Amino acid sequence: MRAVVLDDFGDPDVLEMREVPDPAVGPDTVLIRVRAAGINPVDWKIRAGRLRGAFPHHTPLIPGWDVAGVVEAAGPAVTRFTVGDEVMAYARKDSVQHGTYAELVGVTETAVAPKPAALTFAQAGALPLAGLTAAQALTAVDGGPGDVVLVHAAAGGVGHLAVQIARARGATRVIGTASAGNHDFLRSLGAEPVEYGADLPARLEELVGGDGRVDVALDFVGGEALQQSPRLVRNPARHVSVVDPAVKEQGGRYVFVRPHGEQLAELGELAARGRLRVEVARELPLAEAARAHRLQEEGHVRGKLALLPG
């Protein structure tokens, strides 16, 4: 198969397209013919070598943890999927080597979910990691009916999904931080936009009145937003970060997303009912993975990027 591979860590130019062996099909493995691979910030951090202390890394390394495609083959123990099924998955493994920037990828059955017909392959390929991150962050702080929820970086890949999932779970209000150019986008998702920055506490007080605090705060950007969050929530235990474990020192929760096929299927059902829209800013050919990484590193992508093998 053809895949995007790196032999050494570094800038985007270390990524190259070449022929590599097809993945093995284990007893509980679903072999997926890739139609789209979502791009996430963790991908360029892996490429740059920043996660070598968190996971074993092996080269030659194929990046990518998000995938949507068609089942090419299934191991003998697989019971939920058959050849020809359209599927999506958060394909993270315990070590980093056999990723989704490829024509084929093997994924454990428990991480795989049906692809909803309401989503294109690019949208389905962009959903798993970001959608599960948003859902698991909300679950960690019991975000649900009646809550006023603050989403930091609400126009980003995780943030724009968190806005919609919070609304679907019954949040009374969802307030999202974003630059002014993304405020109409947030309104279209059902959020009340607010400018981020040092003045956020004052702006939030104007929006919510009373003590100027919310029930839940979700941090998807870190830095200043993480430092502000403890004083923006009524109970510090109900603020969560997916960026920095230092949130635990503030009394909040840290979430590192886990693969979960059943939870991903629930997100697919939301999309099928028109309750979850996946914003794909740009679709690029697999051969342009380096360009996609440069765009992602700039940090101004609205929604997600997706690679298409063609």
Side-chain angles (χ1 to χ4, degrees), residues 50-107:
R50 295 191 184 183
L51 267 68
R52 280 178 288 181
F55 298 93
H57 286 53
H58 307 285
T59 55
L61 187 156
I62 303 169
W65 284 348
D66 268 347
V67 63
V70 179
V71 176
E72 182 93 353
V78 172
T79 59
R80 296 170 48 234
F81 303 99
T82 60
V83 172
D85 287 348
E86 296 184 350
V87 296
M88 56 185 180
Y90 172 37
R92 177 172 65 81
K93 301 174 175 69
D94 292 333
S95 61
V96 180
Q97 184 176 24
H98 302 295
T100 62
Y101 292 14
E103 292 178 325
L104 293 166
V105 63
V107 185

Side-chain angles (χ1 to χ4, degrees), residues 26-75:
D28 62 348
T29 299
V30 177
L31 183 66
I32 300 172
R33 172 72 58 179
V34 179
R35 295 287 297 275
I39 301 281
N40 296 286
V42 69
D43 297 352
W44 71 259
K45 294 175 184 177
I46 286 172
R47 186 214 71 229
R50 295 191 184 183
L51 267 68
R52 280 178 288 181
F55 298 93
H57 286 53
H58 307 285
T59 55
L61 187 156
I62 303 169
W65 284 348
D66 268 347
V67 63
V70 179
V71 176
E72 182 93 353

Side-chain angles (χ1 to χ4, degrees), residues 191-214:
E192 301 171 51
V194 62
E195 287 271 3
Y196 54 79
D199 293 336
L200 176 61
R203 296 191 187 102
L204 194 62
E205 187 173 353
E206 291 178 9
L207 267 179
V208 302
D211 61 6
R213 298 185 181 186
V214 297

